[in-house]
Amino acid sequence: MTTLTADITIIGAGMAGASLVHLLAPARAAGMSVALIDRQPLQWQDDSDARPPSFDGRATALSFGTREILNQLGLWDAIASHACPIEHIQVSDEGRFGQAHLHATEQGTPALGYIIENHQLGQALLRDIVNADDLLQLTPLSVEQVKMNADGALLQLSDGRKLQTRLLIMADGGRSPLMTQLGIQSKRNDYGTHALVTQVECDQPHNNWAYERFSQDGPIAFLPLHKNQYAVVWTLDADVIDAMLALDEATLLAKLQQRIGHRVGRLTRIGSRVSYPLALVKASEQVRRSLVLLGNAAHSLHPVAGQGFNLTLRDAASLAEHLNKAALDGLNPGDLNVLERYLKQQVTDQRNTVTASDWLPRLFAQPNALVACARDGGLLALAAMPTARRLFARHAMGQGQRAARIG
Ligand SMILES: Cc1cc2nc3c(=O)[nH]c(=O)nc-3n(C[C@H](O)[C@H](O)[C@H](O)COP(=O)(O)OP(=O)(O)OC[C@H]3O[C@@H](n4cnc5c(N)ncnc54)[C@H](O)[C@@H]3O)c2cc1C
């Protein structure tokens, strides 16, 4: 059988891999060949589970920084028609007096972020990819084996073909057996919790408010979706998640109502529910000669701060900036110097974002009275001090980091 070739090969057409394909448009235009492989099809019917798992029944909070990148890629208009702007955020601590409000107008932006259902995001990201004729699309097809060699990486595909590539980008998610084949370890800190994800309807419109409420049971986020609907992410201990998933609708609605209070009005309906085990997973290495790990393969975060994809998109934009330049300069995309420059540019952003996403659920899970007072203090400081609010909002909005050059 013939061996296929590509300058750059991306394994994974989830949020990470699909975004990177768009960001690599200048390298493709400069003649670099790009292959995209996923074991799932890139087009699917609404009722089918055969789709990249990034685009399942969840909803995602896109930061304002993410909007800016998607806008520069020409994708924002398609996304905006399905996305709900967050204009206000209330952060509160159940049973305590600390509470803070953030408002888009105070930050001088039209929105603090946007909520979109993942399947809509997937359709917007994949629509042009499916029709791109300068892209080698190998879907639905699995990569069964990866071997690094002097020319880059040699992949064994599930249909028996092989693919030789100068640069391999593994955007294959948080549980990659291919990483293990390459001897890359990942450090996993289980939080001992699961995210219960669902959608609810209320008897009043959300008016573009999002609510983040912390309790000893775990944080709960109500994120505005459609007129009077919220996407809900509730972090629960591993030993109660099965019982919660098994509750009938009325009982689960009552429990949610108890947690969120009446700030959202009366909850009237609940959609289907799914759960995800939560862990902070970090790869021990992200770049090697001819190899980059991207997205969940590089770092998978607690969803409470809604930063996983937002960070990944900033990583992808920065990686593409270096690869696009390499294409124009006639360099090998797998050159270790090129890849190390990318990582050096992103390391601080990654460290700060990972630390904040890890620290937030731990801080708010602490029953200790002193810590609870400190939380109140922090929330009151946010409530009282515009500067503190601005700094907090800039982090939540995915701003304050160096913006990658796109295009
Ligand atoms: C409950 C929850 C809520 C979240 N909310 C937010 C949020 O509000 N904001 C935010 O920014 N982030 C959020 N995230 C994080 C976000 O969902 C992830 O960052 C994102 O889905 C990661 O995408 P990925 O492309 O890296 O990995 P994946 O989605 O896992 O994609 C990997 C792809 O690789 C393919 N693949 C794997 N192995 C192979 C192989 N051997 N051969 C071929 N194909 C292969 C798979 O089919 C898959 O399509 C949330 C996460 C969770 C769990």
Side-chain angles (χ1 to χ4, degrees):
M1 242 182 218
T2 52
T3 298
L4 304 165
T5 58
D7 293 316
I8 301 176
T9 298
I10 303 167
I11 307 180
M15 289 188 198
S19 306
L20 184 64
V21 171
H22 286 281
L23 288 155
L24 286 176
R28 285 156 57 201
M32 238 180 219
S33 54
V34 177
L36 177 67
I37 310 174
D38 202 295
R39 62 161 69 102
Q40 300 292 349
L42 304 192
Q43 286 176 303
W44 58 85
Q45 302 296 326
D46 277 351
D47 56 354
S48 165
D49 286 338
R51 62 176 80 178
S54 268
F55 307 128
D56 64 9
R58 272 172 287 168
T60 290
L62 306 177
S63 69
F64 197 74
T66 288
R67 170 201 152 129
E68 286 176 352
I69 297 176
L70 295 169
N71 196 28
Q72 289 181 62
L73 292 173
L75 295 169
W76 183 248
D77 287 348
I79 290 173
S81 57
H82 300 287
C84 177
I86 303 174
E87 292 172 6
H88 319 274
I89 301 178
Q90 182 190 81
V91 187
S92 62
D93 198 355
E94 189 184 344
R96 311 282 312 174
F97 51 86
Q99 192 175 97
H101 292 157
L102 301 174
H103 304 285
T105 46
E106 194 180 63
Q107 307 308 323
T109 58
L112 295 164
Y114 298 84
I115 307 296
I116 185 162
E117 289 177 275
N118 287 23
H119 73 101
Q120 301 279 16
L121 178 62
Q123 271 154 19
L125 284 175
L126 292 172
R127 196 186 50 210
D128 293 344
I129 290 180
V130 170
N131 297 318
D133 46 21
D134 65 337
L135 190 68
L136 175 60
Q137 288 178 52
L138 299 165
T139 61
L141 214 58
S142 285
V143 177
E144 294 185 336
Q145 201 181 48
V146 178
K147 279 193 183 143
M148 303 310 291
N149 58 24
D151 299 323
L154 182 67
L155 313 188
Q156 175 65 59
L157 307 178
S158 54
D159 64 357
R161 286 184 290 176
K162 289 186 180 358
L163 187 150
Q164 174 68 45
T165 187
R166 294 207 287 169
L167 170 62
L168 175 62
I169 294 168
M170 305 221 317
D172 56 340
R175 291 174 185 267
S176 166
L178 300 176
M179 250 167 74
T180 318
Q181 278 180 24
L182 293 171
I184 300 176
Q185 313 296 322
S186 53
K187 191 165 172 243
R188 184 182 176 90
N189 289 335
D190 273 301
Y191 290 106
T193 52
H194 288 241
L196 185 153
V197 174
T198 187
Q199 289 182 12
V200 293
E201 245 175 57
C202 302
D203 66 351
Q204 62 186 46
H206 53 60
N207 294 325
N208 303 86
W209 275 84
Y211 300 90
E212 185 84 46
R213 189 154 171 78
F214 293 89
S215 74
Q216 280 183 31
D217 284 352
I220 188 164
F222 271 59
L223 307 167
L225 205 50
H226 306 294
K227 201 168 134 231
N228 57 345
Q229 279 177 22
Y230 292 88
V232 175
V233 183
W234 191 5
T235 308
L236 290 161
D237 280 345
D239 52 4
V240 300
I241 187 75
D242 286 340
M244 280 296 188
L245 288 168
L247 289 177
D248 62 76
E249 286 191 7
T251 315
L252 185 56
L253 266 184
K255 285 200 181 289
L256 282 169
Q257 185 86 66
Q258 198 185 2
R259 281 289 157 264
I260 196 68
H262 282 86
R263 47 182 54 72
V264 297
R266 193 171 62 82
L267 304 183
T268 54
R269 233 163 60 93
I270 188 163
S272 57
R273 338 143 186 186
V274 270
S275 76
Y276 302 83
L278 299 180
L280 170 63
V281 188
K282 286 189 288 180
S284 57
E285 304 167 65
Q286 289 186 38
V287 303
R288 280 183 184 174
R289 185 181 65 81
S290 299
L291 183 72
V292 178
L293 270 54
L294 189 71
N296 271 6
H299 42 62
S300 163
L301 314 184
H302 194 297
V304 66
Q307 291 299 329
F309 171 59
N310 293 306
L311 173 62
T312 287
L313 190 64
R314 296 196 295 275
D315 285 349
S318 167
L319 175 61
E321 180 183 345
H322 291 276
L323 294 178
N324 290 334
K325 183 166 183 320
L328 292 172
D329 295 347
L331 293 177
N332 181 340
D335 184 327
L336 186 58
N337 291 321
V338 172
L339 305 179
E340 281 182 335
R341 275 199 291 276
Y342 146 67
L343 195 57
K344 192 167 168 217
Q345 192 168 294
Q346 273 309 103
V347 77
T348 308
D349 185 9
Q350 288 190 3
R351 192 178 47 234
N352 292 346
T353 309
V354 169
T355 306
S357 297
D358 184 43
W359 171 85
L360 208 61
R362 290 185 198 281
L363 176 73
F364 279 90
Q366 281 282 341
N368 179 301
L370 273 177
V371 180
C373 284
R375 282 199 306 258
D376 285 341
L379 288 176
L380 288 173
L382 269 185
M385 293 161 57
T387 312
R389 279 201 300 280
R390 203 158 38 246
L391 287 172
F392 184 84
R394 277 180 75 73
H395 173 75
M397 291 193 298
Q399 294 184 315
Q401 297 86 12
R402 175 192 173 279
R405 266 178 233 106
I406 293 165

